[in-house]
Each structure stands twice: as structure tokens, then as C-alpha cells.
Amino acid sequence: MSDEQNTAPRKPGGIYEHYCEHPGCKKDGGWGFATGKQAPHWFCYEHKAEGKKYTAQP
């Protein structure tokens, strides 16, 4: 038990489901693409080439 009185309860871990961001695709997005601290964009295997544009450095 913790000595700290006002700590927020921990959220239970779980499985996060990401879906492909390609328009019209409903497949699981197993490949995430991001640069730095930006939010990742998720794509399925078939459309993962589209995600590579999110890792390009300006």
C-alpha cells in the first residue's frame, strides 16, 4: 500500500485496437508511423506504404 494519499488510480492495461486509416479500409492497422512526439497514424500491411509519408523529415 502506498503512503501517498491523493494519487490517481491506475488504469488497467489492455489491448488497443488500431484500424487502417486508408479511406474505406476496415483492416487492423498493425503498422504505426510518427515523427517525434506527433500522434501515430496506423495502416494495415496492404497500405503501410502510405504511412511512410508521416515519417519524412521536413
Side-chain angles (χ1 to χ4, degrees):
M1 186 159 200
S2 176
D3 292 343
E4 299 175 23
Q5 298 294 323
N6 297 323
T7 59
R10 270 189 154 172
K11 291 183 179 180
I15 297 174
Y16 293 99
E17 293 185 33
H18 303 285
Y19 294 100
C20 183
E21 295 182 22
H22 179 79
C25 185
K26 305 282 188 207
K27 295 180 183 176
D28 178 53
W31 281 264
F33 298 91
T35 301
K37 294 184 179 182
Q38 70 176 213
H41 296 271
W42 296 92
F43 293 90
C44 67
Y45 180 78
E46 183 180 343
H47 300 114
K48 71 178 183 177
E50 291 179 36
K52 293 183 180 182
K53 66 183 176 188
Y54 293 105
T55 59
Q57 297 291 331

